[in-house]
Amino acid sequence: MELQPSILREISDEHNLLPQPARAKYISETDELILEDELQRIKLEGKIDRDKCVTGSVIAIYGAERNDGKFTVEDFCMADLPPQTPRPVLSSDRFVLLASGLGLGSSHADSMLGLQLLIDMVTGQLGDQGEQSGAANISRVLLAGNLLSQSTQDKDASTKPKYLTKKTQAGSVEAIRLLDELLLQLVASLPVDVMPGQYDPTNYTLPQQPLHRCMFPLSSVYPTLQLASNPHIANIDGVRFLGTSGQNVLDIQKYSSMESHLEILEETLRLRHLAPTAPDTLGCFPFYQKDPFILEECPHVYFSGNATTFESKLVKGPDGQEVLLVTIPEFSSTQTACLVNLRTLECEPVSFSAFSANDDEESEMNISH
Amino acid sequence: MDELYLDNIDEFVNDHDKIVTYKWLSLTLGVHVNTAKQMLYHYLDHKRKESSAQLHATYLVSGKFEDNGQTGHKVSVVKEDQLEDFKSKMSLVVSVHVYSVQKALLKDSGPLYSVDYDAVKDNLKNCTKFSAIRCASAVPMSSLELQQARQIHQVPAPEPEHKKPAMNGEANASKPSTKPQKGIMGMFASKAAPKNQDNVKDIKTEQKEDTPVAEAPKSKPAAKANPMMNFFGTQTAKKPDKTEKKEEAAQSSSSAEVQRQSSQPEEKREAPAVQPPKDTKKEARSKSKRVVDSDSEEEKMEKKKRRRIKKPEPDSSDEDVIPDSPQQMKTRELSPSPEKEVEPVSHSPSQGNSQKTRKRRRVLKARTFVDDEGCIVTEKCYESESYSETEDDVQATKQASKDPVPAKRPASHKPDEKKSQKKTSANANKGSKQASIMGFFQKK
């Protein structure tokens, strides 16, 4: 791919001293699709959509090689869904709340009341008795990454000299303290799984290690707090959850023409690989013997966090597998979380809102028309 | 009783001009959240009937709504005038209740959040006490369970345990009391000296008081311990942190002492040359007098000791310390293993009530070796070595002045230890300023 950032190109190109601008999409017309195995590579053409394929996909192709050395594809297939153990039949409704992108520590704290409303609802303080009894059926909360906002990632700390930054506290310190207090309210009421995300204080490469318990002195005392890695597998009441904080999906979105997170999620499921672009464009630990991102067993709920909108879909596999795909929206911008019903495998968005001064002005404008 | 709450709310809203949210009310009055909501509703009703004051209320509306064929659940806080509007937009209204009552009309929902935040912050421990949902498994683990949970993750756990009985009897006069400040101010070592002395004096006066005051210094090292966490940075540091937190919760001097002692061995293991800051607590027991003069010397020694450990730290701290540092670096390369010798001049921590413990300390020694050119070179250098308290005591008494100080074992009376301590510290004083005349008679 021509536009893919390449360090070699930057070094070898003496005239071009400007760094490549950060782009939203790195696809271009001159990209080529190449199939390779241990022995050779061959260019592909034909009934295969070049822009939808990403580096690292394992596929099987059917076609013929032409004289000019290119392979014409007539059909192709992927590994498709892995085998799945059937999920247990639950007698009553049980819910799991999925949320991501809390964005704590950001400069504009508009979403804080929404977050407080979320916590109040889950811990049973909000709403009247009917709602509270509904909320009592929520058996777990799963926070899928980006608990801290991007603004806590202080670039200045690395560029500014030490004597200027010695006394200043990192932005993430206050944010983590806030997160600890929020988690304390949650863990006193129900089990919580916390996954790290792109902007959280843990390692950058996948798989990200769980956030360290020393950062949560108040809430780590409770056994209900589970600090999980990214990606994360959870078995909640017999229902298998598998998901990431969204870095794999975002990366595929950048390097292919697919826009919808849900579409990408389904693609990775059918490829049977969580993060095909790792380690090419997505940072990951250099595994060499075994690839842990290959899906061995099919989950019942497959999610990815930090999407732009909420989307969900039930996918049926060739062997009778049933998977609920969920893209969890970013809470800091959408004020929406997802509620998954474990009995029926349905997902519902839960949104929170408050009023602000701007609302009055907007309604006045409508009236004037 | 039933009427009291109306007056209470009245007071909060009108007199204190507060925004009374249901959560704030429930935490302040100690009632269940549903009761608080009802109270607010009754109050609002009451006041509206009286039509006395101008009150505004915000409501919480939650229900189902349709969005592109997808039913979603919506929870919002709305102003009173928008209430009906919101209700009509929803396909099914699940619950409506009063969220807050206040005198002024709120333009923005920001203050609602800050009110709740403050209320929760003040009651962090029991923020869910008045909620409608209980979780049986959400019980904070005791410190024992926490340690067990941590040991599953950790590997080098067993060492602190067997060091415990040995370390119990440590006490230290001025050395450990200066440690807490040093840990933090290691970077600013030059400024640290006068500050440390002041702090040392403060801590000493504190510690001379009785156990009721033991709580106050206890919280101090707890606060200091937290910056120290960064300093030590390894897993075992968590244990003292956790035990410190538990101390604050327990708030009884006896249990605190026990926990303090248990936290000490971990610190000890980490930095044997650097005395743990928790030793300050021992002062409650040892009422020995501190000699102020000796502090400065001992501080310098401490700095030297710390320098050895803090090699990867920035150079500023190294330069601030004593000038014979380059010499020390060289000798360190030449002699990788410290020699274990008993030396008379001891300017390291003198113990108060310690038992026979082996510790490491820095000692000025003369090393003789053959260098590249085949010449015999004698260099004075600081080396760390282990010693035990008994030897120190004996040596101290040997060097004592004409006063016939009986060579008592450490487990004996405090006054005697005080004297010997004084003498050792006095000797330490002499030793560090210049090479003692007794150096000529040192054992090689």
Side-chain angles (χ1 to χ4, degrees):
Chain A
M1 295 171 93
E2 187 190 313
L3 291 175
Q4 181 180 345
S6 164
I7 186 71
L8 296 173
R9 203 176 297 137
E10 280 177 36
I11 294 171
S12 66
D13 199 345
E14 286 172 352
H15 299 287
N16 184 15
L17 293 170
L18 298 167
Q20 283 189 352
R23 290 164 167 270
K25 287 262 184 228
Y26 289 96
I27 53 174
S28 85
E29 283 307 308
T30 56
D31 294 339
E32 287 171 346
L33 197 60
I34 296 173
L35 182 74
E36 76 171 23
D37 67 353
E38 293 95 349
L39 301 174
Q40 60 186 339
R41 328 167 98 201
I42 194 161
K43 286 209 179 106
L44 297 179
E45 275 178 344
K47 291 193 187 131
I48 188 165
D49 195 345
R50 178 200 66 205
D51 287 333
K52 284 211 166 67
C53 292
V54 283
T55 309
S57 325
V58 178
I59 60 169
I61 51 176
Y62 173 78
E65 189 183 341
R66 284 212 319 252
N67 288 343
D68 60 353
K70 293 194 187 167
F71 193 99
T72 311
V73 178
E74 285 172 41
D75 197 10
F76 70 96
C77 81
M78 297 182 279
D80 226 333
L81 272 64
Q84 186 188 60
T85 50
R87 69 169 202 279
V89 175
L90 290 170
S91 51
S92 62
D93 271 347
R94 294 228 200 113
F95 297 94
V96 172
L97 186 84
L98 303 171
S100 80
L102 303 184
L104 295 172
S106 71
S107 41
H108 43 266
D110 294 339
S111 63
M112 294 309 294
L113 182 61
L115 200 52
Q116 192 61 50
L117 288 176
L118 172 77
I119 295 176
D120 286 345
M121 188 196 85
V122 167
T123 54
Q125 295 180 20
L126 216 59
D128 58 8
Q129 293 234 299
E131 174 138 12
Q132 285 167 350
S133 58
N137 286 329
I138 298 179
S139 61
R140 203 179 280 215
V141 170
L142 209 149
L143 299 174
N146 278 356
L147 308 162
L148 266 52
S149 105
Q150 190 175 9
S151 49
T152 59
Q153 300 267 300
D154 203 356
K155 289 285 185 236
D156 284 349
S158 52
T159 51
K160 263 191 178 171
K162 268 272 193 258
Y163 65 89
L164 284 178
T165 56
K166 211 167 209 175
K167 291 269 173 91
T168 55
Q169 216 181 42
S172 49
V173 172
E174 185 61 31
I176 284 282
R177 199 187 51 80
L178 194 60
L179 178 64
D180 192 26
E181 284 167 10
L182 287 176
L183 284 178
L184 176 67
Q185 295 174 51
L186 277 176
V187 293
S189 190
L190 79 173
V192 182
D193 286 2
V194 182
M195 289 167 62
Q198 195 180 355
Y199 306 125
D200 292 329
T202 182
N203 57 316
Y204 165 72
T205 52
L206 285 190
Q208 283 183 302
Q209 293 309 302
L211 297 168
H212 203 279
R213 57 186 300 122
C214 71
M215 292 195 282
F216 305 109
L218 297 168
S219 43
S220 60
V221 187
Y222 285 83
T224 42
L225 179 71
Q226 280 287 323
L227 295 164
S229 61
N230 170 29
H232 179 49
I233 296 181
N235 198 318
I236 304 171
D237 286 335
V239 179
R240 279 188 87 235
F241 278 69
L242 167 67
T244 63
S245 300
Q247 288 114 315
N248 54 336
V249 172
L250 269 172
D251 199 61
I252 295 174
Q253 192 192 28
K254 278 195 276 184
Y255 288 92
S256 75
S257 62
M258 296 187 271
E259 284 289 347
S260 152
H261 282 240
L262 195 69
E263 192 188 340
I264 295 171
L265 207 59
E266 190 178 348
E267 189 76 10
T268 60
L269 185 64
R270 296 216 182 267
L271 279 171
R272 226 190 266 199
H273 199 285
L274 264 182
T277 53
D280 184 35
T281 45
L282 183 63
C284 108
F285 187 82
F287 300 104
Y288 63 98
Q289 276 178 352
K290 195 167 171 293
D291 189 341
F293 295 137
I294 295 175
L295 300 175
E296 308 275 353
E297 199 188 323
C298 192
H300 300 109
V301 179
Y302 184 41
F303 63 89
S304 100
N306 297 300
T308 38
T309 55
F310 165 77
E311 283 171 310
S312 81
K313 184 174 165 185
L314 199 61
V315 168
K316 297 241 185 330
D319 294 331
Q321 298 106 326
E322 237 186 21
V323 188
L324 173 69
L325 302 179
V326 183
T327 57
I328 312 173
E330 213 177 356
F331 195 87
S332 54
S333 49
T334 59
Q335 309 274 292
T336 312
C338 322
L339 206 58
V340 176
N341 187 335
L342 295 180
R343 186 174 62 91
T344 59
L345 264 201
E346 278 168 359
C347 189
E348 195 179 70
V350 184
S351 53
F352 301 88
S353 67
F355 57 90
S356 70
N358 299 332
D359 293 345
D360 280 345
E361 292 164 18
E362 282 173 18
S363 57
E364 278 172 24
M365 281 172 63
N366 288 337
I367 291 168
S368 65
H369 290 299
Chain B
M1 177 57 204
D2 285 343
E3 296 311 311
L4 273 178
Y5 73 81
L6 283 176
D7 294 333
N8 277 338
I9 302 175
D10 201 19
E11 192 189 323
F12 293 135
V13 174
N14 284 322
D15 301 342
H16 300 313
D17 234 358
K18 277 198 186 348
I19 301 174
V20 180
T21 61
Y22 76 93
K23 199 162 171 198
W24 185 90
L25 193 68
S26 110
L27 285 170
T28 315
L29 294 183
V31 293
H32 195 269
V33 281
N34 290 342
T35 324
K37 288 172 206 162
Q38 279 169 358
M39 282 185 190
L40 278 180
Y41 177 72
H42 283 311
Y43 173 75
L44 205 60
D45 213 25
H46 191 72
K47 282 290 173 187
R48 289 276 161 85
K49 279 181 197 146
E50 284 181 11
S51 67
S52 50
Q54 180 71 312
L55 287 178
H56 296 98
T58 57
Y59 289 85
L60 183 96
V61 183
S62 81
K64 304 276 182 207
F65 77 105
E66 296 280 328
D67 184 26
N68 300 338
Q70 166 97 46
T71 32
H73 195 84
K74 196 170 170 75
V75 177
S76 358
V77 176
V78 295
K79 285 188 279 202
E80 208 164 357
D81 38 3
Q82 297 167 334
L83 179 62
E84 294 308 317
D85 196 27
F86 254 82
K87 273 165 55 171
S88 59
K89 279 191 198 154
M90 295 200 179
S91 56
L92 170 69
V93 176
V94 173
S95 67
V96 178
H97 66 82
V98 181
Y99 190 83
S100 79
V101 174
Q102 62 275 343
K103 221 158 83 167
L105 178 65
L106 283 182
K107 289 266 184 235
D108 195 34
S109 46
L112 291 175
Y113 170 68
S114 41
V115 164
D116 276 344
Y117 178 71
D118 293 333
V120 167
K121 198 136 183 247
D122 294 333
N123 296 295
L124 270 181
K125 293 279 176 194
N126 51 354
C127 46
T128 49
K129 204 163 128 186
F130 303 115
S131 76
I133 298 178
R134 287 272 171 279
C135 178
S137 60
V139 173
M141 298 191 280
S142 66
S143 59
L144 194 63
E145 284 169 350
L146 272 174
Q147 283 204 342
Q148 284 171 355
R150 250 175 270 133
Q151 274 169 12
I152 293 168
H153 296 289
Q154 285 174 24
V155 173
E159 288 167 30
E161 269 63 49
H162 67 73
K163 278 211 174 178
K164 258 188 208 173
M167 303 291 187
N168 265 346
E170 279 152 10
N172 209 313
S174 38
K175 269 303 156 63
S177 56
T178 60
K179 291 301 169 17
Q181 290 80 28
K182 284 188 179 137
I184 303 163
M185 304 213 239
M187 304 282 187
F188 318 107
S190 57
K191 293 179 207 153
K195 274 192 204 164
N196 282 346
Q197 288 200 344
D198 293 341
N199 287 339
V200 161
K201 284 179 208 157
D202 289 344
I203 290 183
K204 282 187 216 160
T205 50
E206 270 184 319
Q207 287 155 355
K208 272 185 193 155
E209 295 172 27
D210 268 329
T211 44
V213 193
E215 310 247 333
K218 183 194 9 159
S219 58
K220 254 184 153 192
K224 287 167 210 149
N226 288 329
M228 291 285 276
M229 287 315 123
N230 304 331
F231 178 68
F232 291 120
T234 61
Q235 291 163 337
T236 50
K238 274 184 284 168
K239 282 188 201 167
D241 184 33
K242 288 283 179 214
T243 48
E244 289 287 351
K245 285 261 161 26
K246 291 295 167 206
E247 286 170 31
E248 286 159 23
Q251 291 207 348
S252 60
S253 54
S254 55
S255 62
E257 259 201 1
V258 167
Q259 284 171 336
R260 268 182 256 126
Q261 287 176 14
S262 69
S263 67
Q264 283 174 32
E266 279 108 12
E267 298 278 347
K268 255 293 181 272
R269 188 181 76 80
E270 283 218 6
V274 178
Q275 303 255 337
K278 316 294 189 319
D279 270 342
T280 53
K281 294 315 102 202
K282 294 294 180 184
E283 299 359 296
R285 283 193 281 147
S286 74
K287 312 270 175 142
S288 42
K289 281 191 235 163
R290 328 269 183 238
V291 181
V292 180
D293 296 338
S294 65
D295 286 354
S296 56
E297 312 318 313
E298 288 162 354
E299 281 170 25
K300 283 191 198 158
M301 300 314 127
E302 290 321 305
K303 281 182 207 161
K304 281 186 198 165
K305 271 195 206 184
R306 253 185 312 110
R307 215 159 28 89
R308 186 171 71 91
I309 295 155
K310 279 168 60 176
K311 232 178 161 182
E313 300 270 336
D315 293 335
S316 57
S317 65
D318 285 337
E319 279 143 19
D320 285 336
V321 194
I322 296 138
D324 55 9
S325 52
Q327 179 192 26
Q328 188 166 6
M329 296 296 168
K330 201 166 67 167
T331 56
R332 207 175 294 141
E333 287 157 22
L334 293 166
S335 64
S337 60
E339 295 152 12
K340 299 192 177 194
E341 274 183 323
V342 179
E343 74 306 338
V345 180
S346 66
H347 36 62
S348 49
S350 34
Q351 295 76 21
N353 309 325
S354 56
Q355 315 296 323
K356 298 178 191 179
T357 55
R358 295 208 72 82
K359 286 197 267 186
R360 302 200 76 80
R361 66 174 169 197
R362 306 205 119 236
V363 167
L364 181 65
K365 275 197 254 176
R367 270 188 60 255
T368 313
F369 61 96
V370 181
D371 75 353
D372 298 342
E373 297 170 344
C375 311
I376 297 179
V377 177
T378 306
E379 271 183 348
K380 280 204 218 83
C381 65
Y382 283 99
E383 281 178 352
S384 99
E385 60 137 83
S386 77
Y387 73 107
S388 75
E389 207 271 330
T390 50
E391 296 166 356
D392 185 24
D393 216 26
V394 168
Q395 293 295 337
T397 53
K398 270 194 205 158
Q399 288 182 16
S401 49
K402 301 130 199 172
D403 299 343
V405 177
K408 285 215 174 138
R409 287 296 143 210
S412 55
H413 287 299
K414 289 177 191 175
D416 291 324
E417 287 169 349
K418 257 195 273 179
K419 279 190 215 157
S420 57
Q421 204 174 6
K422 250 177 130 172
K423 294 201 166 43
T424 49
S425 48
N427 287 330
N429 202 352
K430 285 184 218 160
S432 62
K433 280 263 164 68
Q434 61 191 17
S436 159
I437 194 168
M438 299 305 292
F440 190 74
F441 303 109
Q442 270 181 28
K443 259 198 267 181
K444 292 269 162 77

